[in-house]
Amino acid sequence: MTDALPTTHPLADGRTTGSRLVRALRGDRPETLPVWFMRQAGRSLPEYRELRVGTAMLDACLDPALASEITLQPVRRHGVDAGIFFSDIVVPIKLAGVDVEIVPGRGPVLGSPVRTAADVDALRPLETEALAPITEAVARTVAELGSTPLIGFAGAPFTLAAYLVEGGPSKDHIRARTMMHAEPETWARLLDWAADVSGAFLRAQVLAGASAAQLFDSWVGSLSRADYVSRVAPHSARALSHVTDLGVPRIHFGVGSGEVLADMATVGGSVGAVDAVGVDWRLPLDEAVQRVGSDVTVQGNLDPAMLSAPWPVLETHVRDVVRRGGVARAHVVNLGHGVPPETDPTVLTRVVELVHALGDGTDVGTDGTDRAAS
């Protein structure tokens, strides 16, 4: 916590300082493991589906009352240790004037892709005034959460650039990766723009009351390590630098990130650049700890597919993930990606109860049993 935060901020007035999440992110393993889920707010909840009837996704994100209520729904239902602000990674680029909509069943689609130097020159900065719906939604949410921390989030520059260049979702991001090599100066300017837009979005959430910040790189798994280190990581570091002076814990997460996980933990080549790395389901947590070292908290990494498995299978999986996470300095239990929309929400509640019953996570035996309870 620094003097840069408002005195009414939950980390400044002490509301969330001792929360399980904040303690774990700062490297202090709490007596009870913290747990939350990416995409915990959304389509898996019947109350969300009822609330969203007749409202487009981006309209919901920019309605402060609606966004706040959606953020709060899973905290009430599941008893998770944090809220994650309900928004979308393309919200800040929309607020900066980019023509983008979320098409049901497809995802973000741009009116005009960004593929030339002139296209990059035409991009406008994200003005502070445009962020008013975001700051109002966060403030409303934080007022309701009390001692439960809110996590702010933003899309990482590469993932935003991939959408901008491709014009929508893509399996291999060929156009984006081609621009990276064919027009490196244009690429660098595009990623600097994306970094500043994401950084401003993150900073607005933190100043309005978020107690942690997560940078989310959905498509980083399509990159070679060499390309990530030289052409992407410096821009992710730039995005995160927008909240450095605020002193809030920072989480860096990417999908398919195993080969660059250590680089994501020291993004931009700086130890301490992030407080935690999110690990997807492909890499066992104990191996992830070997890659990132003992100075970083790990977050993850339950396999989302297991949420639809029979409970004994899921329980064994949860215990195994917790056991492996026990070798880290601290562990925030989460999924290795987001909650699938078809998930039975009662299963998520049951997972939260199980995780909380496992104490600090360091006493779960190799056979999946809880040694402290046996």
Side-chain angles (χ1 to χ4, degrees):
M1 196 272 289
T2 72
D3 292 338
L5 287 176
T7 57
T8 55
H9 191 281
L11 288 176
D13 65 21
R15 270 176 289 165
T16 60
T17 309
S19 65
R20 294 167 183 163
L21 178 85
V22 171
R23 286 178 59 192
L25 292 178
R26 288 179 167 165
D28 175 21
R29 183 175 282 268
E31 297 75 18
T32 302
L33 284 168
V35 53
W36 67 280
F37 305 107
M38 285 181 279
R39 293 186 188 154
Q40 64 188 19
R43 293 171 293 175
S44 66
L45 299 183
E47 56 266 41
Y48 167 83
R49 295 194 294 269
E50 181 179 346
L51 196 61
R52 272 285 314 281
V53 171
T55 305
M57 174 64 178
L58 291 180
D59 291 339
C61 293
L62 295 173
D63 180 324
L66 197 56
S68 176
E69 171 59 23
I70 293 170
T71 302
L72 292 165
Q73 285 177 345
V75 181
R76 297 191 197 108
R77 176 186 274 265
H78 302 310
V80 285
D81 294 290
I84 176 73
F85 183 55
F86 175 76
S87 191
D88 190 90
I89 61 171
V90 300
V91 165
I93 69 171
K94 183 177 181 66
L95 293 177
V98 173
D99 178 11
V100 60
E101 296 297 335
I102 296 179
V103 177
R106 186 177 176 197
V109 176
L110 277 77
S112 299
V114 177
R115 292 179 180 165
T116 67
D119 292 338
V120 174
D121 290 339
L123 294 169
R124 305 199 309 263
L126 176 54
E127 303 294 344
T128 302
E129 300 76 30
L131 289 161
I134 306 304
T135 57
E136 181 183 342
V138 170
R140 282 172 173 258
T141 306
V142 169
E144 294 290 331
L145 283 173
S147 60
T148 299
L150 177 69
I151 302 168
F153 88 101
F158 173 72
T159 289
L160 288 184
Y163 278 119
L164 289 163
V165 176
E166 302 290 343
S170 167
K171 290 183 179 180
D172 49 22
H173 314 104
I174 287 289
R175 287 190 178 95
R177 292 190 289 118
T178 297
M179 178 191 280
M180 180 190 301
H181 293 279
E183 301 179 62
E185 292 182 1
T186 301
W187 175 258
R189 288 192 294 114
L190 174 59
L191 261 70
D192 277 346
W193 178 86
D196 290 340
V197 166
S198 275
F201 187 57
L202 265 185
R203 186 176 182 86
Q205 293 170 70
V206 171
L207 288 174
S211 293
Q214 174 163 297
L215 195 67
F216 195 111
D217 215 344
S218 306
W219 306 130
V220 70
S222 68
L223 295 171
S224 69
R225 180 171 182 260
D227 283 347
Y228 179 76
V229 170
S230 64
R231 303 176 189 271
V232 171
H235 304 283
S236 294
R238 179 171 174 147
L240 286 166
S241 74
H242 283 256
V243 297
T244 299
D245 66 308
L246 303 179
V248 296
R250 291 158 296 175
I251 310 164
H252 201 187
F253 172 75
V255 182
S257 60
E259 292 306 308
V260 297
L261 198 64
D263 304 298
M264 293 183 73
T266 58
V267 64
S270 172
V271 175
V274 300
D275 302 276
V277 288
V279 184
D280 80 3
W281 68 94
R282 297 172 176 88
L283 184 68
L285 275 189
D286 46 357
E287 186 174 338
V289 172
Q290 290 180 356
R291 297 188 186 190
V292 302
S294 58
D295 295 326
V296 181
T297 296
V298 294
Q299 177 177 279
N301 67 340
L302 304 175
D303 186 342
M306 291 287 194
L307 295 175
S308 294
W311 175 253
V313 175
L314 175 56
E315 179 179 6
T316 298
H317 177 56
V318 172
R319 289 177 177 273
D320 182 63
V321 167
V322 168
R323 177 183 65 80
R324 294 177 185 275
V327 302
R329 69 170 191 175
H331 178 200
V332 177
V333 180
N334 206 309
L335 295 172
H337 196 194
V339 176
E342 65 275 10
T343 302
D344 179 352
T346 62
V347 172
L348 293 177
T349 305
R350 198 171 179 184
V351 170
V352 173
E353 292 169 349
L354 171 59
V355 170
H356 286 166
L358 295 176
D360 70 358
T362 61
D363 227 9
V364 178
T366 55
D367 59 352
T369 59
D370 181 2
R371 289 196 296 259
S374 59

